[in-house]
Amino acid sequence: MNREFYSDRGDLEISGAGKSGGGKYNRVEVNGASKINGDIECVEFEASGAAKFEGNVKTVSYNVSGATKCLGNVEADFCEIRGAGKIEGNLHSKDSKIEGSFKVGGNFIGEIIDIQGAAKIIGDCEAEDFICSGAITIGGLLNSEKVSIDIAGRSEIPEIGGKIINVKLAPFGIGFLSKITKALFNTSVNELNCNVIEGDEIYLEGTEARIIRGNDVVIGKKCTIQRVEYKNSLSVDPSSKVLEQIKL
């Protein structure tokens, strides 16, 4: 979509417990416990509080905070979510920044995905650059050229595929992440559980996995891996356990 405003469109502003139908607008601003019934297409979409959107949202910029909830799909060039955002459908955004707790009921697709806090994605997640500091749960495949995860809470991803994969235990300095994940998931365990991790360059900490496949693999501290298949090099920290090592 074009970032410029359209001359034949107006703006939509709702506050308090107001309601509105869908439509095409330049700028949409929703505050409080407001509700939108229907699909929205706009250039700028901003919402805060406990706003609820019962249709799909298509926009250039999607900027929400608080306990906002969208029952449909969200498509945006730029997405920023702070607080406790929820999208029941799919989220497709080129550049996404998530802070707080967040849930996607479908697939999450983008170019840059940056999550700070606790996120749950029911479907698959696909990006060129995936960054997460906190706790992450993905129901399907995480596929990204570059994966960077700092674990601060119990995390689970069945399968990870990419070129460069880095999984580390978050530094003690990120205390607010641990507080968020402990409050949401009632756990202080910092661990990533996977079935399969496959990439060119792999570095892992705090990971429990069945199979690791890569060219150059480093198993850092506090890992339990059943099987590692590598082409070039393999290094294993003394605090970790690898049951089977196979050089291809």
Side-chain angles (χ1 to χ4, degrees), residues 98-101 115-119 132-136 152 176-177 180-181 184:
I98 314 296
E99 295 181 357
S101 64
I115 299 171
Q116 310 289 323
C132 178
S133 295
I136 178 73
F176 77 97
L177 291 176
I180 290 174
T181 55
L184 289 171

Side-chain angles (χ1 to χ4, degrees), residues 30-34 47-53 62 64-71 81-87 99 101-102:
V30 183
N31 298 300
S34 303
S48 62
K52 184 177 181 180
F53 330 121
Y62 182 84
V64 301
S65 60
T68 55
K69 184 177 181 180
C70 177
L71 301 186
I81 298 174
R82 301 179 304 279
K86 186 175 182 180
I87 296 172
E99 295 181 357
S101 64
F102 174 63

